Amino acid sequence: MITFIVIGISDAPEPYFTPEVLDIIQQGRVFSGGKRHHEIVASLLPADAQWIDITTPLDAVFEKYQSIVSDIIVFASGDPLFFGFANTIRKKMPEAEITLYPTFNSLQLLAHRLVMPYHDMRIVSLTGRPWPEFDKALIERVSKIGILTDKEHTPAAIAQRMIDYGYTAYQMHVGEHLGNPELEKVTTLSLEEAISKTFTHPNCLILVCNSCRHRSFGIPDSDFTLLDGREKMITKMPIRLLTLQTLDLSKRRVFWDIGFCTGSVSIEARLQFPHLQICAFEIRPECEAIIQENARRFGAPGIDIHIGDFLETDISALPRPDAVFIGGHGGHLKEIMAKVMTVLAPGGVIVFNSVTSPVVSQITDRPGSRQLWDEACTALHLSQEPPLQIQLNDYNPIEILKATFI
């Protein structure tokens, strides 16, 4: 069994180690870490030390580890369990024994420099990771967010995303080269100031909001930008909220909104259930600008937008949905449902609001949307729940229909 001794270090060129850790280093034979770590500790290593660089791809690094018969001493930044390399070891080699000697992580150091309590801080890592967890923190109006950055998710890029979606009540604290007495720098500035400023790497930041805006339950229809100003081309707020309740999104993971038009359902779902991955589909190209405008207006980042005929869209690489709302079908409801069933997760649900007027169906002699739905559910062996009927003002009665993939 391989044993790892993981030692946390700061960015200081001459880090402090306890006598116990110094003794471990002096008796070691095989060491590993990043190139910067090697530069920092090189003078402390035994003359016959073997060094294994931690570089990508990591599989090649762990292949080298597998050939080692002695303990491996790994140097890692800060606390090795805080988005650190000890977690990677546990994932790649779960049977390995690990002994830890941590130091402060960068966000702790930044909080210390600011004399800022951090027990109530939400931690988000954007180091080699996409935006969803950060977006979730913003939507939930978290008042204190600590962020680990990388060369793509810079303080300027983070500030720009926040401004784009209206989260402007935050102040940004940026720490550069924390722990290095020669290069360390802490800057406090507004989001507007951060957009045009460049910070050296490595850096991290803390966002603090003392007046985060209230998140409403339900957005008034009149607040949305509409398609050609047409009020009928939006799922009305009471229907929208009932639809989300029917989808049971609190326990879903991936939500698809097919025929999003103004984006009202996707945006409402994003704001009420920020843990969701949301893919929104619409055939009309002019609706892309509309959903983007509405998403920015209401602070709903992270909706994955797809423009084009859903029946011709390649969905093979998209996250598999466990909740689907069909807001528009253009007469192809059965075909759309059949395509959805090729990817719908077991236990997943499809919801559709039937608004076809019985009078119109009689005049055109075409099957109404409710009939198309029933036929599709029968053909696809979907389990239907009793419909929920509702009528708003002078509009035709609406049936909220739900089917489950058993």
Side-chain angles (χ1 to χ4, degrees):
M1 181 181 294
I2 299 177
T3 298
F4 289 90
I5 301 172
V6 188
I7 301 172
I9 62 174
S10 70
D11 197 48
E14 297 181 4
Y16 168 78
F17 293 115
T18 65
E20 179 186 2
V21 172
L22 283 174
D23 186 57
I24 290 171
I25 294 173
Q26 291 164 5
Q27 295 185 35
R29 290 294 176 268
V30 181
F31 299 85
S32 188
K35 293 184 183 298
R36 174 59 179 159
H37 300 142
H38 195 187
E39 293 173 359
I40 292 173
V41 302
S43 63
L44 301 176
L45 304 183
D48 60 347
Q50 176 186 349
W51 183 272
I52 300 174
D53 272 324
I54 297 177
T55 57
T56 54
L58 288 177
D59 287 345
V61 177
F62 279 86
E63 284 181 11
K64 294 179 182 178
Y65 289 164
Q66 292 282 7
S67 65
I68 303 300
V69 295
S70 64
D71 294 350
I72 302 173
I73 299 173
V74 179
F75 294 96
S77 297
D79 182 347
L81 286 177
F82 184 78
F83 298 98
F85 197 68
N87 297 321
T88 305
I89 296 173
R90 288 170 59 87
K91 180 180 178 181
K92 295 282 189 180
M93 302 177 70
E95 301 302 318
E97 289 188 1
I98 301 175
T99 301
L100 293 174
Y101 293 89
T103 190
F104 290 119
N105 65 62
S106 59
L107 286 171
Q108 286 177 311
L109 289 174
L110 180 54
H112 295 164
R113 302 298 185 264
L114 296 166
V115 195
M116 177 187 293
Y118 59 88
H119 59 275
D120 56 347
M121 183 166 63
R122 172 84 65 87
I123 307 299
V124 173
S125 176
L126 292 176
T127 304
R129 292 173 169 87
W131 293 107
E133 285 302 312
F134 176 62
D135 293 342
K136 182 174 181 286
L138 290 180
I139 293 169
E140 292 177 345
R141 276 57 172 181
V142 175
S143 61
K144 189 182 296 180
I145 311 172
I147 304 174
L148 302 176
T149 66
D150 62 17
K151 293 185 178 180
E152 178 183 351
H153 302 92
T154 63
I158 291 166
Q160 186 65 65
R161 188 172 185 85
M162 295 174 71
I163 290 173
D164 286 345
Y165 288 94
Y167 294 95
T168 55
Y170 283 84
Q171 187 174 52
M172 180 179 286
H173 306 275
V174 182
E176 303 168 77
H177 296 282
L178 294 168
N180 187 324
E182 299 177 2
L183 300 175
E184 179 177 296
K185 184 178 180 182
V186 175
T187 307
T188 297
L189 68 172
S190 68
L191 299 182
E192 290 76 11
E193 291 170 330
I195 288 176
S196 58
K197 191 170 178 60
T198 301
F199 295 91
T200 58
H201 288 275
N203 63 62
C204 65
L205 60 92
I206 296 175
L207 296 167
V208 179
C209 177
N210 295 319
S211 59
C212 289
R213 68 186 187 184
H214 173 68
R215 179 176 60 170
S216 62
F217 183 72
I219 304 169
D221 301 332
S222 58
D223 289 355
F224 282 93
T225 294
L226 304 176
L227 176 62
D228 299 327
R230 297 154 63 188
E231 294 183 4
K232 291 187 177 181
M233 299 301 289
I234 184 174
T235 302
K236 300 298 183 289
M237 183 174 66
I239 307 299
R240 197 159 62 236
L241 297 178
L242 280 173
T243 298
L244 298 184
Q245 185 275 332
T246 304
L247 285 159
D248 200 12
L249 294 179
S250 62
K251 64 180 182 182
R252 306 294 173 182
R253 187 180 62 87
V254 180
F255 171 51
W256 283 13
D257 178 11
I258 301 174
F260 64 73
C261 192
T262 63
S264 64
V265 172
S266 286
I267 290 168
E268 200 82 74
R270 187 77 179 115
L271 296 179
Q272 300 302 329
F273 306 95
H275 70 282
L276 285 174
Q277 285 183 268
I278 299 179
C279 294
F281 304 84
E282 175 58 54
I283 194 171
R284 290 165 290 202
E286 62 268 30
C287 290
E288 182 172 14
I290 293 173
I291 190 175
Q292 289 176 342
E293 179 180 344
N294 285 326
R296 284 179 166 83
R297 177 178 299 173
F298 302 114
I303 297 172
D304 185 16
I305 301 169
H306 300 266
I307 299 297
D309 188 339
F310 178 78
L311 293 175
E312 298 177 3
T313 299
D314 182 5
I315 60 174
S316 59
L318 297 180
R320 190 177 183 183
D322 51 7
V324 177
F325 173 64
I326 302 176
H329 58 86
H332 300 285
L333 179 61
K334 295 166 72 172
E335 294 90 335
I336 290 172
M337 291 177 65
K339 184 168 183 175
V340 166
M341 286 301 297
T342 65
V343 293
L344 187 66
V349 297
I350 304 174
V351 170
F352 171 68
N353 295 340
S354 176
V355 295
T356 301
S357 168
V359 175
V360 172
S361 297
Q362 292 172 10
I363 294 174
T364 60
D365 197 30
R366 293 197 303 266
S369 58
R370 175 61 192 273
Q371 181 180 338
L372 293 174
W373 167 267
D374 289 339
E375 292 174 356
C377 288
T378 299
L380 298 169
H381 307 291
L382 291 167
S383 175
Q384 293 194 63
E385 294 190 7
L388 175 64
Q389 189 173 84
I390 185 171
Q391 182 169 353
L392 299 178
N393 301 325
D394 297 328
Y395 294 99
N396 291 320
I398 295 172
E399 287 186 308
I400 299 179
L401 308 174
K402 178 179 181 179
T404 304
F405 176 28
I406 303 300

